[in-house]
Amino acid sequence: MASKGVILSEMRPTGRLHLGHQSVLNNWVRLQEEYNCYFGVADWHALTTGWEEAKDIRANTIEMVADWLANGLDPEKCALFRQSAVQEHAELHLLLSMVTPLSWLERVPTYKDQIQKLGELGKDINSYGFLGYPLLMAADILVYKANAVPVGEDQTPHVELTREVARRFNHLFKPVFPEPQAIINKDVAVLPGVDGAKMSKSYHNYISMGAGTEEIKKHVNLMVTDPARIRKTDPGNPDVCVVHKFHRIYNSSILEGIETECRAGQIGCVACKKQLTGALEENLGPIRERREQVLAKKGYVEEILQAGEAKARQATVKTLEEVRAAIFG
Ligand code: TRP
Ligand code: SF4
């Protein structure tokens, strides 16, 4: 029997997730059915941009993994782990650093972008770890010999770097690593924040995954609609309306009706928002409940992570044996 392909992806532990992350998680949930999946908490990566939030990483990890489980990741089907608990990631990172030219890291687009962005925030980050963060990501991927990596568009240069590093290692020593493919998630950009900008924690325009009924209502009320529409009978333009973008995802069965009625001035924005609130409640209610159940069981998430880490180690220990043999004979 041909063995199943290996998938690896990770997220930085930012704490509670929001609806912008749902398409990423839905993708992971689909992949867990068909592949041998490893999904990690990139807690070392969280340190590459500074120490300020380090003390929150433990709590944020638990919150984030609770959201993973609430959205349908099944620990029986995939391994959920913390990067920092699987030491082979670090050993491989070190060994790969010996075959990676500095120029490859300096030309990664996020390197200069991020230095500039963080500089504007008054953060002067120029550590060795920050420069090396794409290589740490390469080690995350290669240590599982992953065939494919689901990521957002902004991460594709890192997957490209991973392929180059794999090729170079295979050429210098022995062919140990497959060259992984990126699986690009294009849906991420579809859902805006309530103000129409990108949904992001730092913009405070997000609906969190475990949002309660009141929180959902409040955020839907804040959503920006067609600004040219003054009276209910004015024809509206759903293409410029945030509410419509949410209906597209959470209420697709009645989307066409809403579009027609909006353009004809037959539905008011208040009624339209009410329909969306209902759809969001229907979708998020069960997720909220599961999230609460998961967090109510003390130590449950920790247990799942430890089991996942044991599974992860079975793969990584084997890879490192091969890597050491390839280098040292
Ligand atoms: N670098 C990714 C981010 O900042 C997170 C990440 C770390 C990752 N290791 C990974 C993603 C491995 C995919 C595969 O969002
Ligand atoms: Fe947006 Fe709905 Fe109002 Fe049309 S009716 S502008 S889709 S909120």
Side-chain angles (χ1 to χ4, degrees), residues 190-225:
V190 176
L191 204 62
V194 293
D195 56 358
K198 182 183 171 204
M199 191 184 281
S200 158
K201 244 189 164 158
S202 40
Y203 299 162
H204 302 288
N205 62 358
Y206 60 93
I207 302 179
S208 64
M209 205 77 89
T213 313
E214 284 311 308
E215 204 180 329
I216 294 175
K217 246 193 226 158
K218 191 182 98 193
H219 281 101
V220 172
N221 281 336
L222 286 172
M223 282 181 192
V224 181
T225 59

Side-chain angles (χ1 to χ4, degrees), residues 8-13 28 38 40-46 48 81 83 89 114 133-134 136-142 146 148-152 154-155 158-159 162:
L8 173 288
S9 198
E10 295 184 12
M11 268 187 217
R12 291 183 189 223
W28 286 13
Y38 299 91
V41 178
D43 48 2
W44 280 334
H45 274 96
T48 58
F81 66 93
Q83 181 187 36
H89 288 238
Q114 284 241 51
Y133 120 78
L136 179 56
M137 177 163 160
D140 292 342
I141 297 167
L142 296 176
V149 190
V151 282
D154 61 317
Q155 300 284 314
H158 303 155
V159 180
T162 306

Side-chain angles (χ1 to χ4, degrees), residues 43 77 86 134 144 325 327:
D43 48 2
K77 294 182 180 152
V86 186
Y144 296 95
I327 298 177

Side-chain angles (χ1 to χ4, degrees), residues 216-217 220-221 223 243-244 246-259 261-262 266-283:
I216 294 175
K217 246 193 226 158
V220 172
N221 281 336
M223 282 181 192
V243 180
H244 175 253
F246 276 78
H247 273 304
R248 186 187 284 281
I249 293 179
Y250 292 100
N251 225 351
S252 57
S253 61
I254 62 160
L255 186 69
E256 262 180 57
I258 286 176
E259 285 171 0
E261 286 178 35
C262 172
Q266 287 166 344
I267 182 175
C269 294
V270 174
C272 188
K273 283 185 167 183
K274 219 177 216 151
Q275 294 213 35
L276 177 62
T277 308
L280 282 175
E281 178 61 28
E282 207 173 295
N283 185 286

